[in-house]
Amino acid sequence: MAETTKKILIFTDETLCKGVDGCGICIHVCPKKVFERSSRLTPKGIRPPEPVRAEDCNGCKLCMIYCPDLAIVIEKEDKSEVLTET
């Protein structure tokens, strides 16, 4: 029997992102509250959104759609697992 599991990958391009203080749209549009303001600064001096609850992401891509800088990419990775009966 084969079972398909979907893993959702979240990528943030910090060179494009204006940061949570300069934008933060991703935090506000996420229905699962996946993102929070990072405590660290990037080389540009911004605090990027950090996917602290990535396992809660349902892959709706609202963060990616609404990001004005195209800094967020959401990908669904399909993995098929073969289950054997013992």
Side-chain angles (χ1 to χ4, degrees):
M1 181 190 329
E3 181 180 307
T4 302
T5 58
K6 291 187 179 185
K7 181 178 180 184
I8 297 172
L9 306 171
I10 303 169
F11 301 99
T12 304
D13 186 340
E14 294 178 0
T15 62
L16 297 175
C17 181
K18 289 190 286 261
V20 173
D21 299 322
C23 177
I25 292 173
C26 53
I27 289 177
H28 299 293
V29 300
C30 179
K32 297 294 185 175
K33 307 297 181 205
V34 169
F35 295 97
E36 285 186 7
R37 180 180 186 254
S38 179
S39 59
R40 66 179 176 79
L41 291 173
T42 67
K44 288 179 13 180
I46 63 151
R47 297 195 187 279
E50 192 168 323
V52 294
R53 287 177 287 283
E55 68 279 355
D56 292 342
C57 181
N58 64 5
C60 70
K61 298 184 181 182
L62 286 175
C63 57
M64 189 170 99
I65 293 166
Y66 283 100
C67 179
D69 302 311
L70 306 174
I72 298 176
V73 175
I74 304 293
E75 290 183 3
K76 292 181 183 178
E77 180 181 85
D78 290 336
K79 289 188 175 185
S80 294
E81 296 178 0
V82 176
L83 301 177
T84 58
E85 293 183 27
T86 55

